[in-house]
Amino acid sequence: MLRVSNLIRASLLGSKERVLDGTIAIWNLTNRCNLSCLHCYSKATLESADALSTEEIFITMSEMAQSGIKFIIFSGGEPLTRNDIFKIATYARELGIITYLSTNGLYIHKSNVEKIVAAFDYIGVSIDGREETHDHFRGLKGSFKLSLEAIKLLLKYSDRVGIRFTLTTQTLDDLPFIFELAESLSIPKVYISHLVYSGRGLENRAMDLGIEQRMNAVKFVLSKAFEYYETHKPIEVVTGNMEMDAIALLKEFSLRYPENSSALHNRLLKWGGNSAGRKLVNIDSHGNVKPDPFFPLTLGSIKEKSFGAIWNNPNDELLSALRTHPRILKGQCRECEYLSICNGGSRARAYAVHGILNGDDPSCYQTFHKDSV
């Protein structure tokens, strides 16, 4: 993810930016969900059964802590459908792991909101536009109202709350609304995600943005981040699944604050772009370990090997390739002057379109040669 607001602030003030000390794990604890979202990479359904026991999860979390995992984003499906979710989050905290919850909000009520706030260091609730847009995109009429009420309820107990929005042709026109909503409710964080071609996101790939649409959307998102900094509005802007946003940020920042552009450039080099297999790991609902949640290939299963044996395997060729920085890629990525910043973007999108892991990210909007590999 690209912490846009934090990078702007740190580069202009010379302050210390948030640097990931350790590895982030995204754990899809379940594939059970009460929604059927058009972009869902795990193709979650309400009929899905949990494949991992509480004990298996506890054992693996202990191994993860020993392997340098510092953050776990609990996702799904809908993680709040698990009866043991609070036990899991509590144990993670006992291990010194920071806990994030990614939820649709429909299971957040007055009866459990205090437990949720106490168990998780941050809660992100998905909102994909105005009521009509959100309900269509999420596959359930009335889901917008329920998610919005969950956000309002959470804000009464915590400021560690944010909204998550996915950019697609279906939601694009509602992008300004998301920021209006954050401003009106004083929501502390807005996370803007780009579509990745996996699961239903691959089946519905046609709803991804074109180059011009993406450029305009990112320009708008960045303008809001600069506006919030300049007006001292306490809303953090973050983007995800599109490391090329860092290049757009650098270009816009250089126009606005040319005397500080080298400071941002150095911070982006240190950030290093796409971190799948390097500082990002995923465990899916069946226990498969993958470089990121969208990845087409697995590294192994925690049902067969320990997490450490999988993640720290020095002989794994896929991990070695992903951990080479910048990555050795084909096509225009190979010659791109910004490769050390974005690290080639999403390997899942490259594989989905080109059938190889080291091709160009087809969603890159920094070039118009989208078909090159």
Side-chain angles (χ1 to χ4, degrees):
M1 66 181 70
L2 181 71
R3 296 183 175 93
V4 178
S5 297
N6 186 266
L7 283 163
I8 292 173
R9 183 169 56 249
S11 299
L12 290 174
L13 301 179
S15 57
K16 185 178 181 180
E17 80 272 27
R18 291 182 62 188
V19 177
L20 179 61
D21 179 22
T23 299
I24 290 179
I26 300 175
W27 197 332
N28 303 94
L29 288 175
T30 180
N31 206 42
R32 187 170 58 253
C33 189
N34 50 338
L35 299 180
S36 53
C37 308
L38 293 176
H39 67 312
C40 180
Y41 58 82
S42 60
K43 300 178 74 171
T45 67
L46 196 56
E47 292 74 32
S48 296
D50 294 337
L52 300 175
S53 69
T54 309
E55 183 180 2
E56 287 174 313
I57 291 170
F58 277 20
I59 291 171
T60 299
M61 282 198 298
S62 297
E63 296 167 352
M64 294 167 78
Q66 295 169 12
S67 296
I69 304 300
K70 298 294 181 68
F71 301 80
I72 297 181
I73 300 173
F74 293 108
S75 186
E78 171 51 55
L80 290 177
T81 63
R82 286 197 64 123
N83 294 328
D84 56 0
I85 183 63
F86 295 113
K87 291 181 181 179
I88 293 169
T90 298
Y91 186 61
R93 281 187 150 187
E94 290 174 359
L95 293 169
I97 296 173
I98 296 172
T99 57
Y100 283 25
L101 175 68
S102 178
T103 175
N104 59 41
L106 272 63
Y107 287 104
I108 298 176
H109 307 291
K110 290 181 180 179
S111 61
N112 65 5
V113 63
E114 292 186 71
K115 289 181 68 175
I116 291 171
V117 168
F120 297 98
D121 295 286
Y122 174 80
I123 303 107
V125 181
S126 298
I127 296 286
D128 283 297
R130 296 177 177 85
E131 183 172 0
E132 183 179 355
T133 302
H134 177 95
D135 286 359
H136 171 72
F137 196 72
R138 294 274 159 181
L140 180 66
K141 189 172 180 59
S143 60
F144 173 83
K145 290 180 179 178
L146 294 172
S147 296
L148 187 60
E149 286 305 310
I151 292 169
K152 291 178 179 179
L153 184 59
L154 287 165
L155 289 171
K156 291 181 179 180
Y157 294 88
S158 175
D159 61 356
R160 296 172 284 109
V161 179
I163 50 178
R164 302 168 61 88
F165 172 85
T166 301
L167 274 170
T168 68
T169 54
Q170 307 247 345
T171 62
L172 179 59
D173 290 344
D174 288 18
L175 178 61
F177 167 79
I178 293 299
F179 287 92
E180 292 167 7
L181 184 66
E183 293 165 13
S184 65
L185 297 180
S186 297
I187 300 172
K189 182 183 289 187
V190 177
Y191 176 89
I192 305 296
S193 176
H194 295 259
L195 183 69
V196 183
Y197 310 152
S198 180
R200 293 194 196 109
L202 177 58
E203 293 172 357
N204 296 312
R205 181 191 157 202
M207 69 181 180
D208 197 15
L209 302 182
I211 288 179
E212 187 173 353
Q213 288 175 312
R214 196 180 308 279
M215 290 175 66
N216 290 334
V218 172
K219 185 176 181 178
F220 176 79
V221 172
L222 296 180
S223 72
K224 298 303 291 186
F226 282 109
E227 175 192 328
Y228 294 157
Y229 170 77
E230 292 163 358
T231 59
H232 307 288
K233 192 177 294 292
I235 298 176
E236 294 285 317
V237 177
V238 179
T239 71
N241 302 316
M242 186 62 67
E243 288 76 18
M244 289 68 77
D245 287 351
I247 303 167
L249 172 61
L250 179 60
K251 291 178 178 179
E252 183 62 26
F253 185 95
S254 298
L255 291 175
R256 293 172 180 254
Y257 304 102
E259 66 278 7
N260 297 94
S261 61
S262 61
L264 176 59
H265 186 263
N266 291 335
R267 291 174 190 269
L268 291 175
L269 288 174
K270 185 177 180 181
W271 168 67
N274 186 276
S275 59
R278 188 165 53 99
K279 287 192 173 184
L280 175 66
V281 62
N282 168 247
I283 302 178
D284 71 15
S285 61
H286 296 285
N288 298 309
V289 180
K290 301 190 292 184
D292 70 33
F294 315 100
F295 220 79
L297 306 175
T298 64
L299 302 168
S301 171
I302 61 170
K303 288 181 172 291
E304 299 172 359
K305 296 181 181 179
S306 71
F307 176 83
I310 297 170
W311 186 242
N312 300 316
N313 182 0
N315 299 316
D316 191 289
E317 295 182 0
L318 176 56
L319 283 178
S320 296
L322 291 173
R323 291 171 180 174
T324 299
H325 192 276
R327 292 175 181 148
I328 301 173
L329 303 177
K330 294 187 176 183
Q332 56 202 4
C333 284
R334 179 177 52 198
E335 307 296 332
C336 181
E337 62 179 303
Y338 297 110
L339 181 59
S340 293
I341 290 179
C342 76
N343 206 24
S346 171
R347 299 299 86 216
R349 280 194 295 254
Y351 188 87
V353 173
H354 306 308
I356 56 175
L357 288 171
N358 58 348
D360 296 328
D361 182 336
S363 289
C364 178
Y365 58 97
Q366 296 297 327
T367 174
F368 290 92
H369 304 293
K370 295 183 67 178
D371 296 327
S372 171
V373 297

